[in-house]
Amino acid sequence: MERNGTLDLARLVAAFGIVAFHAGGPGAAVGYAGLPFFLILLVAYARPAAHVMDFGRFTIVRAHRLLQPWVIWSAIYGTLKLLEATLTGRPLSQEFNAGMILTGPALHLWFLPFAFLVSILLYPALRLVRPTAIVIACTLLVGTGLAMSGLQQDRLFPTPIAQWLFAGPAVCLGVALGFYQGRTVVQAMIWSIFMGIAFAAGWTAGVPQLAIAGGVFILCTLCPTHSTAFSRWASNVAMGVYLVHPLCLSVLDRVTPLKEATVEMTVAACICATLLASRPDRLIWLALHKTESALSGTPRMQTGKQFVDGLKSIDSNP
């Protein structure tokens, strides 16, 4: 299957959207559509792999792509937390907790082990015939959607349960769309049905982002372009941008006059993350040569409460 250059470019745009969300600047609500887009893409394109690989090979490939970077970046952010504790004298109990076993030492890393587990659990479904898989996907959508409605009713789920619930509907939609690759009209019908189910079930948290992500995915498959060196570079850099951007936000917040929740901070973080993702060796330079104040705080991360507050702000700013 030939690479779709449009999807490759969309990956990088989605990563920038997530940076915008965590930076809290204008367009943050729309930017967070990048997360469900990544999930839809991940699940939809796992189906061809599931059909040509046995379970063992499929697991090894997914572990290499998802768990290996999780281990590496957990070590990086864990080191930063140790530096935080050393420089500030704060006890380690304030920097580390048991929940990090499921996420890693930085909250945004939850995506990697979640994506791996979802891929493995969906392996049997990805090999099913279309009608059966669509029924399963819709059933899961309703279940996760009803759980999501709890977030709107001020029920605070612990980390990373809140993140998993937010990601659930996108996973379900990805399963459904993955069974009809190349059939854009059918995909558009499925997308419309999913959106209808979402609103009929009475939940709205994350639905605008799911709608944007699904719509963009369908448009990218409808308007494919030939793969180029630039599109392949954008695809390769996208995940790196996602992984490194909290570090960029932390450093920019401490060593520049840029203010939080501004366009300038968002743009600077996107540029910084892109440069570091393109040149991983720069991470070593950053760790060794930046001032002590730049490393005297943990990368900006969301707590469970902040995540829920973010969802509420998304609902109020569709």
Side-chain angles (χ1 to χ4, degrees):
M1 181 184 296
E2 184 180 353
R3 289 182 70 100
N4 184 340
T6 307
L7 275 174
D8 285 343
L9 294 173
R11 284 186 176 95
L12 184 56
V13 174
F16 288 157
I18 295 173
V19 176
F21 175 77
H22 286 151
V30 175
Y32 206 55
L35 180 64
F37 177 81
F38 275 130
L39 288 164
I40 291 172
L41 196 63
L42 174 83
V43 176
Y45 281 88
R47 183 172 182 265
H51 274 267
V52 298
M53 298 180 186
D54 59 38
F55 182 72
R57 177 61 179 166
F58 183 82
T59 302
I60 292 172
V61 170
R62 290 284 153 167
H64 175 74
R65 291 182 178 179
L66 298 168
L67 293 187
Q68 180 175 312
W70 180 66
V71 171
I72 294 172
W73 284 92
S74 290
I76 292 173
Y77 284 106
T79 300
L80 289 172
K81 279 185 167 290
L82 289 173
L83 285 172
E84 164 75 3
T86 300
L87 295 172
T88 64
R90 294 166 62 180
L92 291 179
S93 60
Q94 293 185 17
E95 300 296 334
F96 297 92
N97 57 68
M100 290 180 180
I101 295 175
L102 300 175
T103 63
L107 181 56
H108 75 296
L109 295 178
W110 71 268
F111 177 85
L112 294 173
F114 174 83
F116 172 76
L117 289 175
V118 163
S119 299
I120 301 307
L121 293 175
L122 285 178
Y123 179 83
L126 295 174
R127 296 170 64 90
L128 293 174
V129 295
R130 288 172 179 167
T132 305
I134 298 302
V135 170
I136 292 174
C138 288
T139 301
L140 291 173
L141 174 72
V142 173
T144 53
L146 292 176
M148 278 294 299
S149 67
L151 288 174
Q152 298 171 243
Q153 299 170 11
D154 297 327
R155 298 174 187 170
L156 182 59
F157 292 93
T159 300
I161 303 301
Q163 288 76 16
W164 293 351
L165 292 175
F166 182 84
V171 171
C172 299
L173 181 56
V175 170
L177 294 179
F179 275 84
Y180 290 92
Q181 291 184 44
R183 301 178 64 179
T184 308
V185 174
V186 178
Q187 287 184 329
M189 291 176 60
I190 292 172
W191 175 81
S192 300
I193 291 171
F194 268 57
M195 295 304 101
I197 292 175
F199 286 109
W203 78 84
T204 58
V207 172
Q209 286 67 38
L210 181 63
I212 294 171
V216 169
F217 176 82
I218 294 172
L219 287 175
C220 288
T221 58
L222 178 64
C223 306
T225 59
H226 292 294
S227 176
T228 65
F230 178 75
S231 67
R232 290 190 295 272
W233 170 84
S235 177
N236 292 333
V237 166
M239 184 54 72
V241 169
Y242 175 83
L243 293 171
V244 76
H245 78 270
L247 175 58
C248 295
L249 285 169
S250 179
V251 173
L252 289 170
D253 190 37
R254 288 165 172 80
V255 301
T256 72
L258 296 174
K259 296 181 180 180
E260 295 182 11
T262 62
V263 173
E264 293 79 8
M265 175 63 84
T266 300
V267 172
C270 288
I271 294 174
C272 177
T274 302
L275 292 174
L276 291 180
S278 302
R279 293 285 304 276
D281 56 294
R282 291 291 182 180
L283 284 173
I284 300 175
W285 178 87
L286 181 67
L288 293 177
H289 297 282
K290 281 302 178 182
T291 62
E292 183 173 291
S293 62
L295 296 175
S296 63
T298 53
R300 190 178 300 169
M301 298 179 291
Q302 291 176 303
T303 63
K305 182 179 185 303
Q306 289 172 324
F307 181 82
V308 175
D309 290 343
L311 293 181
K312 291 177 181 177
S313 68
I314 286 174
D315 293 338
S316 62
N317 297 281

mmCIF file of all heavy atoms in Angstrom, residues 97-126:
data_model
loop_
_atom_site.group_PDB
_atom_site.id
_atom_site.type_symbol
_atom_site.label_atom_id
_atom_site.label_comp_id
_atom_site.label_asym_id
_atom_site.label_seq_id
_atom_site.Cartn_x
_atom_site.Cartn_y
_atom_site.Cartn_z
ATOM 1 N N ASN A 97 4.356 8.630 41.980
ATOM 2 C CA ASN A 97 3.254 7.936 42.636
ATOM 3 C C ASN A 97 2.988 6.619 41.919
ATOM 4 O O ASN A 97 3.486 6.379 40.807
ATOM 5 C CB ASN A 97 1.995 8.807 42.657
ATOM 6 C CG ASN A 97 1.564 9.226 41.260
ATOM 7 O OD1 ASN A 97 1.135 8.403 40.452
ATOM 8 N ND2 ASN A 97 1.684 10.519 40.967
ATOM 9 N N ALA A 98 2.193 5.767 42.549
ATOM 10 C CA ALA A 98 1.949 4.428 42.008
ATOM 11 C C ALA A 98 1.256 4.464 40.657
ATOM 12 O O ALA A 98 1.450 3.576 39.818
ATOM 13 C CB ALA A 98 1.115 3.625 43.004
ATOM 14 N N GLY A 99 0.438 5.487 40.421
ATOM 15 C CA GLY A 99 -0.280 5.576 39.152
ATOM 16 C C GLY A 99 0.628 5.712 37.951
ATOM 17 O O GLY A 99 0.218 5.433 36.815
ATOM 18 N N MET A 100 1.876 6.124 38.181
ATOM 19 C CA MET A 100 2.816 6.302 37.075
ATOM 20 C C MET A 100 3.224 4.978 36.450
ATOM 21 O O MET A 100 3.823 4.966 35.368
ATOM 22 C CB MET A 100 4.053 7.059 37.553
ATOM 23 C CG MET A 100 3.763 8.515 37.864
ATOM 24 S SD MET A 100 5.232 9.398 38.439
ATOM 25 C CE MET A 100 4.536 11.039 38.691
ATOM 26 N N ILE A 101 2.902 3.874 37.110
ATOM 27 C CA ILE A 101 3.171 2.569 36.516
ATOM 28 C C ILE A 101 2.377 2.416 35.215
ATOM 29 O O ILE A 101 2.823 1.771 34.258
ATOM 30 C CB ILE A 101 2.795 1.437 37.505
ATOM 31 C CG1 ILE A 101 3.700 1.500 38.733
ATOM 32 C CG2 ILE A 101 2.896 0.073 36.836
ATOM 33 C CD1 ILE A 101 3.330 0.514 39.814
ATOM 34 N N LEU A 102 1.199 3.032 35.164
ATOM 35 C CA LEU A 102 0.332 2.933 33.998
ATOM 36 C C LEU A 102 0.552 4.052 32.993
ATOM 37 O O LEU A 102 0.099 3.949 31.845
ATOM 38 C CB LEU A 102 -1.141 2.933 34.433
ATOM 39 C CG LEU A 102 -1.566 1.798 35.356
ATOM 40 C CD1 LEU A 102 -3.015 1.989 35.796
ATOM 41 C CD2 LEU A 102 -1.406 0.453 34.654
ATOM 42 N N THR A 103 1.206 5.115 33.401
ATOM 43 C CA THR A 103 1.362 6.257 32.512
ATOM 44 C C THR A 103 2.809 6.582 32.187
ATOM 45 O O THR A 103 3.127 7.022 31.090
ATOM 46 C CB THR A 103 0.731 7.519 33.133
ATOM 47 O OG1 THR A 103 1.426 7.857 34.341
ATOM 48 C CG2 THR A 103 -0.741 7.305 33.434
ATOM 49 N N GLY A 104 3.696 6.390 33.142
ATOM 50 C CA GLY A 104 5.042 6.926 33.048
ATOM 51 C C GLY A 104 5.130 8.172 33.917
ATOM 52 O O GLY A 104 4.122 8.672 34.416
ATOM 53 N N PRO A 105 6.314 8.722 34.113
ATOM 54 C CA PRO A 105 6.503 9.858 35.013
ATOM 55 C C PRO A 105 5.964 11.182 34.477
ATOM 56 O O PRO A 105 5.940 12.167 35.210
ATOM 57 C CB PRO A 105 8.027 9.920 35.192
ATOM 58 C CG PRO A 105 8.578 9.273 33.971
ATOM 59 C CD PRO A 105 7.598 8.212 33.593
ATOM 60 N N ALA A 106 5.569 11.245 33.214
ATOM 61 C CA ALA A 106 4.909 12.431 32.658
ATOM 62 C C ALA A 106 3.553 11.991 32.125
ATOM 63 O O ALA A 106 3.456 10.987 31.400
ATOM 64 C CB ALA A 106 5.744 13.055 31.549
ATOM 65 N N LEU A 107 2.509 12.728 32.465
ATOM 66 C CA LEU A 107 1.152 12.267 32.202
ATOM 67 C C LEU A 107 0.887 12.005 30.724
ATOM 68 O O LEU A 107 0.179 11.057 30.370
ATOM 69 C CB LEU A 107 0.142 13.291 32.748
ATOM 70 C CG LEU A 107 -1.340 12.927 32.571
ATOM 71 C CD1 LEU A 107 -1.649 11.579 33.197
ATOM 72 C CD2 LEU A 107 -2.220 14.018 33.165
ATOM 73 N N HIS A 108 1.460 12.838 29.840
ATOM 74 C CA HIS A 108 1.141 12.664 28.423
ATOM 75 C C HIS A 108 1.661 11.341 27.864
ATOM 76 O O HIS A 108 1.216 10.904 26.791
ATOM 77 C CB HIS A 108 1.699 13.840 27.612
ATOM 78 C CG HIS A 108 3.177 13.809 27.411
ATOM 79 N ND1 HIS A 108 4.075 13.908 28.462
ATOM 80 C CD2 HIS A 108 3.934 13.694 26.284
ATOM 81 C CE1 HIS A 108 5.303 13.850 27.986
ATOM 82 N NE2 HIS A 108 5.254 13.726 26.677
ATOM 83 N N LEU A 109 2.558 10.680 28.586
ATOM 84 C CA LEU A 109 3.083 9.399 28.117
ATOM 85 C C LEU A 109 2.055 8.276 28.209
ATOM 86 O O LEU A 109 2.292 7.181 27.688
ATOM 87 C CB LEU A 109 4.327 9.015 28.918
ATOM 88 C CG LEU A 109 5.551 9.934 28.761
ATOM 89 C CD1 LEU A 109 6.682 9.451 29.658
ATOM 90 C CD2 LEU A 109 6.009 9.999 27.310
ATOM 91 N N TRP A 110 0.920 8.539 28.863
ATOM 92 C CA TRP A 110 -0.123 7.506 28.985
ATOM 93 C C TRP A 110 -0.535 6.959 27.619
ATOM 94 O O TRP A 110 -0.961 5.794 27.494
ATOM 95 C CB TRP A 110 -1.366 8.063 29.680
ATOM 96 C CG TRP A 110 -2.157 9.039 28.829
ATOM 97 C CD1 TRP A 110 -2.010 10.389 28.791
ATOM 98 C CD2 TRP A 110 -3.202 8.720 27.900
ATOM 99 N NE1 TRP A 110 -2.892 10.940 27.882
ATOM 100 C CE2 TRP A 110 -3.634 9.943 27.327
ATOM 101 C CE3 TRP A 110 -3.811 7.542 27.500
ATOM 102 C CZ2 TRP A 110 -4.649 10.009 26.366
ATOM 103 C CZ3 TRP A 110 -4.827 7.600 26.534
ATOM 104 C CH2 TRP A 110 -5.234 8.821 25.991
ATOM 105 N N PHE A 111 -0.413 7.789 26.586
ATOM 106 C CA PHE A 111 -0.885 7.403 25.256
ATOM 107 C C PHE A 111 -0.180 6.152 24.741
ATOM 108 O O PHE A 111 -0.816 5.301 24.093
ATOM 109 C CB PHE A 111 -0.648 8.567 24.284
ATOM 110 C CG PHE A 111 -1.023 8.267 22.864
ATOM 111 C CD1 PHE A 111 -2.332 8.427 22.433
ATOM 112 C CD2 PHE A 111 -0.071 7.813 21.952
ATOM 113 C CE1 PHE A 111 -2.685 8.139 21.119
ATOM 114 C CE2 PHE A 111 -0.417 7.531 20.641
ATOM 115 C CZ PHE A 111 -1.732 7.696 20.222
ATOM 116 N N LEU A 112 1.106 6.006 25.008
ATOM 117 C CA LEU A 112 1.877 4.915 24.420
ATOM 118 C C LEU A 112 1.485 3.540 24.962
ATOM 119 O O LEU A 112 1.174 2.642 24.174
ATOM 120 C CB LEU A 112 3.370 5.185 24.612
ATOM 121 C CG LEU A 112 3.905 6.407 23.852
ATOM 122 C CD1 LEU A 112 5.345 6.689 24.238
ATOM 123 C CD2 LEU A 112 3.781 6.215 22.352
ATOM 124 N N PRO A 113 1.485 3.308 26.293
ATOM 125 C CA PRO A 113 1.051 1.983 26.761
ATOM 126 C C PRO A 113 -0.420 1.726 26.471
ATOM 127 O O PRO A 113 -0.814 0.587 26.203
ATOM 128 C CB PRO A 113 1.331 2.031 28.269
ATOM 129 C CG PRO A 113 1.409 3.471 28.623
ATOM 130 C CD PRO A 113 1.962 4.153 27.406
ATOM 131 N N PHE A 114 -1.245 2.787 26.500
ATOM 132 C CA PHE A 114 -2.666 2.623 26.160
ATOM 133 C C PHE A 114 -2.809 2.162 24.719
ATOM 134 O O PHE A 114 -3.566 1.223 24.422
ATOM 135 C CB PHE A 114 -3.401 3.942 26.373
ATOM 136 C CG PHE A 114 -4.843 3.907 25.922
ATOM 137 C CD1 PHE A 114 -5.822 3.384 26.750
ATOM 138 C CD2 PHE A 114 -5.208 4.396 24.667
ATOM 139 C CE1 PHE A 114 -7.151 3.346 26.344
ATOM 140 C CE2 PHE A 114 -6.530 4.363 24.253
ATOM 141 C CZ PHE A 114 -7.496 3.835 25.092
ATOM 142 N N ALA A 115 -2.103 2.806 23.806
ATOM 143 C CA ALA A 115 -2.187 2.440 22.392
ATOM 144 C C ALA A 115 -1.711 1.010 22.168
ATOM 145 O O ALA A 115 -2.282 0.267 21.353
ATOM 146 C CB ALA A 115 -1.366 3.417 21.557
ATOM 147 N N PHE A 116 -0.673 0.603 22.895
ATOM 148 C CA PHE A 116 -0.172 -0.772 22.755
ATOM 149 C C PHE A 116 -1.228 -1.774 23.221
ATOM 150 O O PHE A 116 -1.542 -2.742 22.507
ATOM 151 C CB PHE A 116 1.111 -0.937 23.563
ATOM 152 C CG PHE A 116 1.594 -2.362 23.630
ATOM 153 C CD1 PHE A 116 2.211 -2.952 22.544
ATOM 154 C CD2 PHE A 116 1.411 -3.113 24.791
ATOM 155 C CE1 PHE A 116 2.645 -4.277 22.600
ATOM 156 C CE2 PHE A 116 1.843 -4.430 24.855
ATOM 157 C CZ PHE A 116 2.466 -5.014 23.761
ATOM 158 N N LEU A 117 -1.781 -1.544 24.410
ATOM 159 C CA LEU A 117 -2.773 -2.482 24.947
ATOM 160 C C LEU A 117 -4.017 -2.548 24.071
ATOM 161 O O LEU A 117 -4.575 -3.626 23.836
ATOM 162 C CB LEU A 117 -3.149 -2.074 26.375
ATOM 163 C CG LEU A 117 -2.068 -2.297 27.437
ATOM 164 C CD1 LEU A 117 -2.524 -1.747 28.783
ATOM 165 C CD2 LEU A 117 -1.729 -3.778 27.556
ATOM 166 N N VAL A 118 -4.459 -1.396 23.579
ATOM 167 C CA VAL A 118 -5.626 -1.367 22.701
ATOM 168 C C VAL A 118 -5.364 -2.182 21.439
ATOM 169 O O VAL A 118 -6.214 -2.957 20.984
ATOM 170 C CB VAL A 118 -5.998 0.090 22.342
ATOM 171 C CG1 VAL A 118 -6.912 0.140 21.121
ATOM 172 C CG2 VAL A 118 -6.684 0.753 23.519
ATOM 173 N N SER A 119 -4.186 -2.008 20.847
ATOM 174 C CA SER A 119 -3.844 -2.750 19.634
ATOM 175 C C SER A 119 -3.888 -4.255 19.868
ATOM 176 O O SER A 119 -4.434 -5.011 19.048
ATOM 177 C CB SER A 119 -2.450 -2.346 19.143
ATOM 178 O OG SER A 119 -2.398 -0.974 18.824
ATOM 179 N N ILE A 120 -3.319 -4.675 21.003
ATOM 180 C CA ILE A 120 -3.272 -6.110 21.305
ATOM 181 C C ILE A 120 -4.673 -6.657 21.578
ATOM 182 O O ILE A 120 -5.050 -7.721 21.081
ATOM 183 C CB ILE A 120 -2.352 -6.380 22.515
ATOM 184 C CG1 ILE A 120 -0.936 -5.878 22.228
ATOM 185 C CG2 ILE A 120 -2.340 -7.856 22.856
ATOM 186 C CD1 ILE A 120 -0.342 -6.398 20.943
ATOM 187 N N LEU A 121 -5.462 -5.919 22.359
ATOM 188 C CA LEU A 121 -6.812 -6.388 22.689
ATOM 189 C C LEU A 121 -7.723 -6.413 21.469
ATOM 190 O O LEU A 121 -8.641 -7.239 21.383
ATOM 191 C CB LEU A 121 -7.417 -5.489 23.775
ATOM 192 C CG LEU A 121 -6.747 -5.565 25.152
ATOM 193 C CD1 LEU A 121 -7.358 -4.537 26.096
ATOM 194 C CD2 LEU A 121 -6.876 -6.966 25.746
ATOM 195 N N LEU A 122 -7.471 -5.522 20.522
ATOM 196 C CA LEU A 122 -8.311 -5.453 19.324
ATOM 197 C C LEU A 122 -7.883 -6.431 18.239
ATOM 198 O O LEU A 122 -8.583 -6.575 17.227
ATOM 199 C CB LEU A 122 -8.295 -4.033 18.753
ATOM 200 C CG LEU A 122 -9.098 -2.980 19.498
ATOM 201 C CD1 LEU A 122 -8.920 -1.624 18.820
ATOM 202 C CD2 LEU A 122 -10.575 -3.343 19.546
ATOM 203 N N TYR A 123 -6.768 -7.096 18.429
ATOM 204 C CA TYR A 123 -6.250 -7.980 17.383
ATOM 205 C C TYR A 123 -7.309 -8.963 16.865
ATOM 206 O O TYR A 123 -7.488 -9.092 15.647
ATOM 207 C CB TYR A 123 -5.021 -8.735 17.884
ATOM 208 C CG TYR A 123 -4.422 -9.691 16.872
ATOM 209 C CD1 TYR A 123 -3.547 -9.230 15.895
ATOM 210 C CD2 TYR A 123 -4.746 -11.044 16.902
ATOM 211 C CE1 TYR A 123 -2.996 -10.106 14.960
ATOM 212 C CE2 TYR A 123 -4.204 -11.929 15.969
ATOM 213 C CZ TYR A 123 -3.341 -11.454 15.006
ATOM 214 O OH TYR A 123 -2.806 -12.322 14.083
ATOM 215 N N PRO A 124 -8.042 -9.671 17.741
ATOM 216 C CA PRO A 124 -9.066 -10.590 17.211
ATOM 217 C C PRO A 124 -10.159 -9.858 16.430
ATOM 218 O O PRO A 124 -10.601 -10.330 15.385
ATOM 219 C CB PRO A 124 -9.638 -11.247 18.481
ATOM 220 C CG PRO A 124 -8.577 -11.071 19.518
ATOM 221 C CD PRO A 124 -7.950 -9.751 19.212
ATOM 222 N N ALA A 125 -10.594 -8.680 16.942
ATOM 223 C CA ALA A 125 -11.660 -7.938 16.262
ATOM 224 C C ALA A 125 -11.205 -7.433 14.901
ATOM 225 O O ALA A 125 -11.997 -7.371 13.953
ATOM 226 C CB ALA A 125 -12.124 -6.762 17.128
ATOM 227 N N LEU A 126 -9.934 -7.080 14.789
ATOM 228 C CA LEU A 126 -9.427 -6.549 13.528
ATOM 229 C C LEU A 126 -9.391 -7.612 12.436
ATOM 230 O O LEU A 126 -9.280 -7.285 11.256
ATOM 231 C CB LEU A 126 -8.019 -5.977 13.729
ATOM 232 C CG LEU A 126 -7.925 -4.750 14.647
ATOM 233 C CD1 LEU A 126 -6.471 -4.373 14.882
ATOM 234 C CD2 LEU A 126 -8.679 -3.570 14.053
#
